[in-house]
């Protein structure tokens, strides 16, 4: 068969793409996408009032940390080559306005100080900037008299949270509540308080998703109702680019797409448009699905983990939040 007329790449039998797949070394040499331990960020939960880690039943291998076990986990993350740690607090007490989220000695602020004193600047220490873990109604903001999330009143609470988290040692804050104007409001508050060096990893594209269930167990969520009035509709893609433009204009240093696997098309669109680093959050339900299928023997667990991470990088993510961060980093280093 002549290669003539076979297109720009020629044709069979002279052209055989399989030649570049013949050995592991060959495949490694021509790989278009690589995941590195430094691309990974470990989300972690710290629970008030416990002395030992408490397993999260729907997320095998994930725990609610005590303050001491969180310190150890941070050291392990550094040793594995992971770049960041995103902290979520689980308080003993909740109320309508999430008071523990802004208390200087709330569990999240204590944990930030613990980790910063343990590992210093060896990890990018991040904190979730949202009220849902701290409110008795489980929503990401304060409610008005009709029971709706009050966007502008919530911004004031986010600004208070930002200051106590920055004071506690966070390098980077993760505004995740999907309130309009949250990035600009928090940026102004940080700058006015002398925290110009504290950066923001904006949850720019956060969909209302069925895949958050295990996370809600992990943070002991009190949610009643749903978050459809402030998180994005899974049917919408162009809207993500509108949110991106707004967050970058308001001062976001990095942006995020969440969840990951169901929204790889959106991740690609955001990555092509953004001029700041783009992250993706491989959320609890994605993690749980792989772990459950692997436990049943239906898939190869380690290969599935690395395949999902590779898909995020191929779609354009520069950083990946994943509960497998430490394990995946070790697998990647072992593979060379």
């Amino acid at each position: 068969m002549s290669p003539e007329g076979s297109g720009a790449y020629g044709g069979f039998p002279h052209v055989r793409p399989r030649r570049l797949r013949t050995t592991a070394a060959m495949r490694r040499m021509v790989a278009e996408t690589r995941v590195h331990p430094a691309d990974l960020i470990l989300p972690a939960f710290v629970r008030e009032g416990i002395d030992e880690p408490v397993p999260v039943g729907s997320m095998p291998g994930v725990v609610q940390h005590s303050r001491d076990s969180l310190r150890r986990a941070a050291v392990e993350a550094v040793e594995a080559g992971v770049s960041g740690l995103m902290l979520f607090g689980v308080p003993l007490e909740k109320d309508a306005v999430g008071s523990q989220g802004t208390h200087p000695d709330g569990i999240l602020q204590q944990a930030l100080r613990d980790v910063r004193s343990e590992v210093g600047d060896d990890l990018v220490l991040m904190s979730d900037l949202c009220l849902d873990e701290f409110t008795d109604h489980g929503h990401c903001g304060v409610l008005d008299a009709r029971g709706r999330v009050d966007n502008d009143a919530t911004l004031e609470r986010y600004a208070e949270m930002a200051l106590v988290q920055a004071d506690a040692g966070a390098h980077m804050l993760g505004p995740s509540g999907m309130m309009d104007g949250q990035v600009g409001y928090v940026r102004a508050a940080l700058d006015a308080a002398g925290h110009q060096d504290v950066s923001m990893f904006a949850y720019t594209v956060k969909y209302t998703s069925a895949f958050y269930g295990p996370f809600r167990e992990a943070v002991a969520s009190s949610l009643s109702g749903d978050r459809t009035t402030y998180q994005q509709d899974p049917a919408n893609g162009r809207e993500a680019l509108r949110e991106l433009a707004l967050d970058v204009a308001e001062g976001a240093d990095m942006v995020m797409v969440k969840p990951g696997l169901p929204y790889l098309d959106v991740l690609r669109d955001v990555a092509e448009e953004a001029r700041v680093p783009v992250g993706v959050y491989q959320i609890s339900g994605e993690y749980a699905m792989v772990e459950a299928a692997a436990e049943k023997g239906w898939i190869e667990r380690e290969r599935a983990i690395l395949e999902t991470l590779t898909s995020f990088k191929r779609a354009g993510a520069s950083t990946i939040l994943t509960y497998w961060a430490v394990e995946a980093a070790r697998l990647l280093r072992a593979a060379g």
Side-chain angles (χ1 to χ4, degrees), residues 265-309:
D265 58 325
V266 176
L267 175 59
R268 167 64 73 183
D269 290 345
V270 170
E272 288 180 346
E273 185 76 15
R275 297 298 177 263
V276 296
V278 176
V280 64
Y281 197 146
Q282 184 176 47
I283 67 169
S284 60
E286 299 172 59
Y287 174 96
M289 287 193 302
V290 171
E291 290 289 350
E295 190 275 331
K296 290 285 190 180
W298 295 340
I299 61 174
E300 297 177 54
R301 180 179 176 277
E302 291 183 357
R303 287 185 62 191
I305 291 170
L306 296 180
E307 188 173 338
T308 60
L309 299 181

Side-chain angles (χ1 to χ4, degrees), residues 45 56 58-59 210-219 284-286 288:
F45 309 101
V56 178
S58 55
M59 300 176 70
F211 293 96
Y212 294 132
F215 176 90
R216 290 175 184 163
E217 178 190 352
V219 298
S284 60
E286 299 172 59

